[in-house]
Amino acid sequence: MADTFKDAPFQAVQVDSLVVLKIAKHCSSAFPTTATGSIVGMDQNNLLEVTNTFPFPSVDNTTADSHQNDASAIAAAAPRQKSNLTYQNEMIRHLKEVNVDANNVGWYTSATMGNFVNLSFIENQYHYQKDNNATVALVYDASKSSQGNLTLRAFRLTSTFMTAYKEGKFTTDVLQKSKLSFRDIIAELPVSIHNSHLLTSFLHQIPSHPVDEEVEPPTSLADIERDQVKPPLDPSIDTLDLAIDPFLEKTCDLLLESIESHYTDLNNFQFYQRQLGREQAKISQWQAKRKAENAQRAVSKQAPLPEDEWQRLFKLPQEPSRLEGMLNAKQVEQYSKQVDGFTANISAKMFAVRENLLPQ
């Protein structure tokens, strides 16, 4: 992890609890449509502090298609639109007037089951990071957080990928020379939630709920031995449920879709290789024929014909970009990590009852 963060201006991200609540409310209200917004704060002592946030204006359905995919695509591209950049600068100016941290430190987006590694995410983060290296992208998974498990992650593009994306060449030769793989696209930073001292003091001063009944102190040792000890919590058998987690099934479906997309991209590249091989075979035949003609013309003491004329007669196919395939591979890795996390508890339960599941 240290090698990944050595080029980053900070090593961790600290998010205020109020920012987390604002992001969670915006993403949950827009679910399942993608929600995006801007985050502000400051970078100090190798720590990026996110102290405030505001959402980007939503698109009116009357001016755009009502389909969910179209609305999500428009919302995903919102961080780099000119109108939203103007809105962001205006909001930052207002924050400065009230003496609030007004340094733009990146943006946030919502995700569904960890599905966020796509070209739009890369373009948005590159748009922020090329002008200000101290920026980060916060990803809030609304579907997983709805089950009571807060999922807020921070990502930034690596310097190696930033250089390659600036050149815009993701061919096989360039990737081999730069040794760039799908693991080097984005780097995840640790995220911590921070409460102000005033809020912490307030939480400690909140009175607890009164007990249901008054507890009478025992008068003798016989009272203690006679009365049964009350359990602190009611027993629950939910943890013994052997049903497959529905989130695991959905993640597996998304994993299969990403693998199919990866194979589609691989088939396109193999088609390019076959086309390139056919064209190179034609060029070799033409060059051999031209050399034979020049040899005959040399015997007849005639001027030789140009041998580089094949560049005008033949056109080599252009190699497709490997960026889409790299993003699919990165998304497959994200889904695989989620499946690994889901199956930990299920595998333990199955192992405990395996004797009952085996045929007699």
Side-chain angles (χ1 to χ4, degrees):
M1 183 177 293
D3 295 338
T4 307
F5 298 154
K6 64 182 181 181
D7 59 338
F10 47 85
Q11 307 298 321
V13 179
Q14 177 180 285
V15 186
D16 281 3
S17 56
L18 181 60
V19 175
V20 177
L21 293 177
K22 287 183 178 180
I23 294 176
K25 181 179 179 181
H26 180 212
C27 296
S28 300
S29 62
F31 184 80
T33 305
T34 303
T36 54
S38 179
I39 55 177
V40 296
M42 62 176 59
D43 171 26
Q44 60 178 358
N45 299 328
N46 290 331
L47 181 67
L48 182 66
E49 299 178 1
V50 181
T51 57
N52 206 343
T53 180
F54 53 88
F56 289 122
S58 59
V59 180
D60 189 4
N61 291 333
T62 58
T63 59
D65 295 336
S66 59
H67 298 291
Q68 175 185 334
N69 294 335
D70 296 338
S72 296
I74 295 174
R80 59 182 186 277
Q81 291 179 352
K82 292 184 178 180
S83 58
N84 287 333
L85 291 178
T86 305
Y87 171 79
Q88 175 179 284
N89 295 332
E90 188 71 15
M91 287 292 295
I92 291 177
R93 186 178 64 83
H94 290 317
L95 291 176
K96 288 181 178 179
E97 293 177 355
V98 295
N99 198 20
V100 178
D101 292 340
N103 300 319
N104 181 260
V105 293
W107 62 293
Y108 71 84
T109 181
S110 62
T112 305
M113 299 303 298
N115 184 15
F116 65 92
V117 183
N118 49 42
L119 190 59
S120 180
F121 178 85
I122 299 299
E123 291 177 352
N124 290 337
Q125 181 58 22
Y126 177 80
H127 169 75
Y128 278 93
Q129 199 167 328
K130 67 181 177 64
D131 297 330
N132 182 11
N133 193 34
T135 54
V136 73
L138 295 180
V139 179
Y140 177 82
D141 199 319
S143 57
K144 295 176 64 178
S145 299
S146 62
Q147 302 300 313
N149 183 20
L150 177 63
T151 305
L152 184 66
R153 307 167 68 185
F155 297 92
R156 55 179 281 111
L157 301 178
T158 61
S159 58
T160 306
F161 182 80
M162 287 286 294
T163 304
Y165 193 83
K166 183 178 181 180
E167 296 176 357
K169 296 180 181 179
F170 289 93
T171 60
T172 304
D173 296 336
V174 174
L175 294 180
Q176 288 178 348
K177 292 179 181 178
S178 61
K179 297 181 180 180
L180 180 66
S181 66
F182 68 92
R183 295 184 179 87
D184 303 325
I185 298 178
I186 57 178
E188 185 174 1
L189 298 165
V191 178
S192 60
I193 309 300
H194 174 261
N195 285 329
S196 64
H197 298 301
L198 182 62
L199 179 58
T200 304
S201 302
F202 173 74
L203 293 176
H204 283 290
Q205 293 175 1
I206 295 179
S208 59
H209 294 287
V211 295
D212 296 335
E213 56 184 0
E214 295 184 0
V215 180
E216 297 182 0
T219 58
S220 63
L221 183 61
D223 293 342
I224 300 177
E225 295 176 350
R226 183 175 59 252
D227 294 338
Q228 297 181 354
V229 179
K230 296 182 179 180
L233 296 175
D234 294 332
S236 176
I237 61 174
D238 294 338
T239 56
L240 302 178
D241 187 12
L242 298 178
I244 303 298
D245 193 341
F247 283 91
L248 176 60
E249 296 180 5
K250 181 62 176 177
T251 303
C252 290
D253 293 339
L254 295 174
L255 177 61
L256 291 176
E257 292 179 4
S258 296
I259 293 176
E260 290 178 359
S261 300
H262 179 71
Y263 274 108
T264 301
D265 183 78
L266 184 61
N267 291 334
N268 293 336
F269 183 73
Q270 290 176 348
F271 177 74
Y272 154 76
Q273 287 181 319
R274 291 193 296 268
Q275 270 191 323
L276 181 63
R278 286 194 294 265
E279 292 296 327
Q280 288 178 342
K282 292 179 182 179
I283 293 173
S284 299
Q285 293 177 359
W286 185 90
Q287 288 177 337
K289 183 179 178 181
R290 179 53 61 93
K291 288 181 179 179
E293 291 178 358
N294 286 337
Q296 293 178 358
R297 293 175 69 89
V299 173
S300 303
K301 297 182 179 180
Q302 296 179 355
L305 298 175
E307 295 185 0
D308 58 350
E309 196 175 355
W310 65 269
Q311 298 178 359
R312 181 177 58 85
L313 299 176
F314 300 95
K315 185 177 181 181
L316 294 177
Q318 186 176 3
E319 181 179 355
S321 176
R322 306 305 306 275
L323 178 59
E324 195 68 31
M326 294 173 62
L327 295 179
N328 284 331
K330 186 64 179 179
Q331 186 63 69
V332 168
E333 183 189 34
Q334 293 290 329
Y335 286 144
S336 301
K337 291 180 179 179
Q338 289 184 185
V339 170
D340 185 33
F342 283 132
T343 54
N345 294 332
I346 297 177
S347 300
K349 296 176 184 178
M350 292 298 180
F351 180 79
V353 299
R354 70 186 189 281
E355 295 296 336
N356 296 331
L357 298 178
L358 293 176
Q360 300 297 332

